[in-house]
Amino acid sequence: MSETVIKPQKNLSIDLKELWQYKELFYFFAWRDIKVRYKQTVIGAAWAIFQPFITMVIFTLFFNKVAGIGSESVPYAIFSYSGLLFWQFFSKALDQASNSLVNNQGVVTKIYFPRIIAPLASTLVALIDFFFASIIFVGLMAYFKIVPGGLGLILFLPMILVTFITASGAGLFLATLNVKYRDVRQALPFFIQTMLFLTPVIYPVSMVPERFQWVLYLNPMTGVITAIRHGLLHEGTLNWAYLAISIVSCLVIFIIGLLYFKSQERKFADII
């Protein structure tokens, strides 16, 4: 009688063949998270549209009308919504990925599966919300009679990918920390709220002195939001060298997150 022995991987790479074998579990995690999020809600998936829209209205009233913060060439409402659209995708994906292992504690301690499936499936759920929220963005462009630029159409999918990779990398890192230190769950909302103000969602990059702007681009979401605003809304300018900084930063975040996750993966079931 043959004996099957499951050994944890010793390398730090992703076994794509193994991930494909567990694709049904990936779909199950993603579909379950979607159902749990909107279960017993009155307006269901419309929350994905309602939240960024109401936030845009509040930002427009307080930061634009009261504080006097403005955009360079487009109405502030669509300026702030374009930032919120990608920021909320990133923040939701980061939050859900960071808590994914703890939320699946029962499964993690009972059966073997590639642990990376849990945070990646959570990130995918945030992507679905992003596409619902994009409907309002298209509607705002039509309302303000803004014709999307060709560059923006070209960059749209790559910028979604940059956001996904950044959220996944940071999510893998924080999910690993969260297994051992539950402080992560408490600190994460404060971290995300702080990062919102360090990302040009509310204000244009041009408000920051030029010699310090490259620092903002160490945050990958600065490159994403600036590229989308310039490409689709013709807002501001796009510095390709600064965008490259954001993309490199995105890759560094993902690699660090993945390496840390893989180095601790074998201990998850024991200490979670």
Side-chain angles (χ1 to χ4, degrees):
M1 180 177 179
S2 62
E3 181 180 0
T4 302
V5 179
I6 300 175
K7 295 181 178 180
Q9 296 178 24
K10 294 182 179 179
N11 58 55
L12 300 178
S13 62
I14 298 177
D15 189 339
L16 296 178
K17 184 178 179 181
E18 185 183 43
L19 285 182
W20 179 252
Q21 292 173 343
Y22 284 86
K23 60 182 181 297
E24 287 84 4
L25 185 62
F26 183 90
Y27 297 144
F28 169 77
F29 278 155
W31 180 240
R32 183 205 58 187
D33 288 348
I34 293 172
K35 288 199 299 184
V36 168
R37 179 183 301 180
Y38 298 117
K39 185 179 181 182
Q40 293 183 324
T41 60
V42 176
I43 61 175
W47 278 108
I49 298 174
F50 185 75
Q51 289 178 343
F53 183 79
I54 294 300
T55 307
M56 174 204 70
V57 172
I58 294 171
F59 280 4
T60 302
L61 288 176
F62 285 92
F63 291 107
N64 181 239
K65 301 300 182 184
V66 177
I69 298 174
S71 58
E72 295 183 14
S73 59
V74 296
Y76 188 82
I78 193 169
F79 170 86
S80 60
Y81 194 89
S82 62
L84 283 167
L85 180 65
F86 280 84
W87 174 256
Q88 293 210 346
F89 170 32
F90 169 76
S91 61
K92 286 181 180 178
L94 177 61
D95 179 61
Q96 291 160 13
S98 300
N99 291 304
S100 59
L101 291 175
V102 174
N103 290 342
N104 289 292
Q105 181 176 353
V107 182
V108 171
T109 55
K110 287 183 174 60
I111 63 172
Y112 170 79
F113 66 93
R115 307 307 192 202
I116 199 170
I117 285 179
L120 292 185
S122 298
T123 308
L124 183 66
V125 173
L127 182 61
I128 294 172
D129 281 353
F130 170 83
F131 282 110
F132 280 120
S134 296
I135 297 171
I136 292 294
F137 184 59
V138 174
L140 285 172
M141 292 189 70
Y143 178 78
F144 290 114
K145 299 179 181 177
I146 297 175
V147 178
L151 178 63
L153 296 176
I154 294 172
L155 289 176
F156 194 72
L157 288 180
M159 292 302 103
I160 292 176
L161 184 61
V162 170
T163 306
F164 183 87
I165 293 174
T166 304
S168 298
L172 287 172
F173 186 86
L174 293 176
T176 307
L177 273 183
N178 200 17
V179 168
K180 191 172 184 180
Y181 306 105
R182 294 298 193 274
D183 308 69
V184 173
R185 175 171 286 188
Q186 304 301 324
L188 189 58
F190 173 72
F191 172 74
I192 291 176
Q193 190 175 26
T194 303
M195 286 301 296
L196 169 65
F197 294 100
L198 296 177
T199 306
V201 175
I202 299 166
Y203 54 88
V205 175
S206 57
M207 286 188 66
V208 178
E210 191 171 353
R211 64 182 184 279
F212 296 126
Q213 288 181 8
W214 69 272
V215 178
L216 283 182
Y217 283 85
L218 292 174
N219 172 2
M221 293 312 299
T222 298
V224 168
I225 292 172
T226 304
I228 288 300
R229 280 175 177 161
H230 175 74
L232 285 179
L233 306 179
H234 319 285
E235 164 74 11
T237 58
L238 178 61
N239 186 316
W240 288 96
Y242 286 172
L243 179 61
I245 291 176
S246 289
I247 293 174
V248 171
S249 180
C250 157
L251 295 176
V252 170
I253 290 171
F254 181 78
I255 291 170
I256 291 175
L258 178 62
L259 290 177
Y260 185 51
F261 184 92
K262 299 293 286 185
S263 69
Q264 302 295 315
E265 187 177 16
R266 286 176 292 175
K267 305 174 185 176
F268 288 164
D270 297 325
I271 62 177
I272 195 169

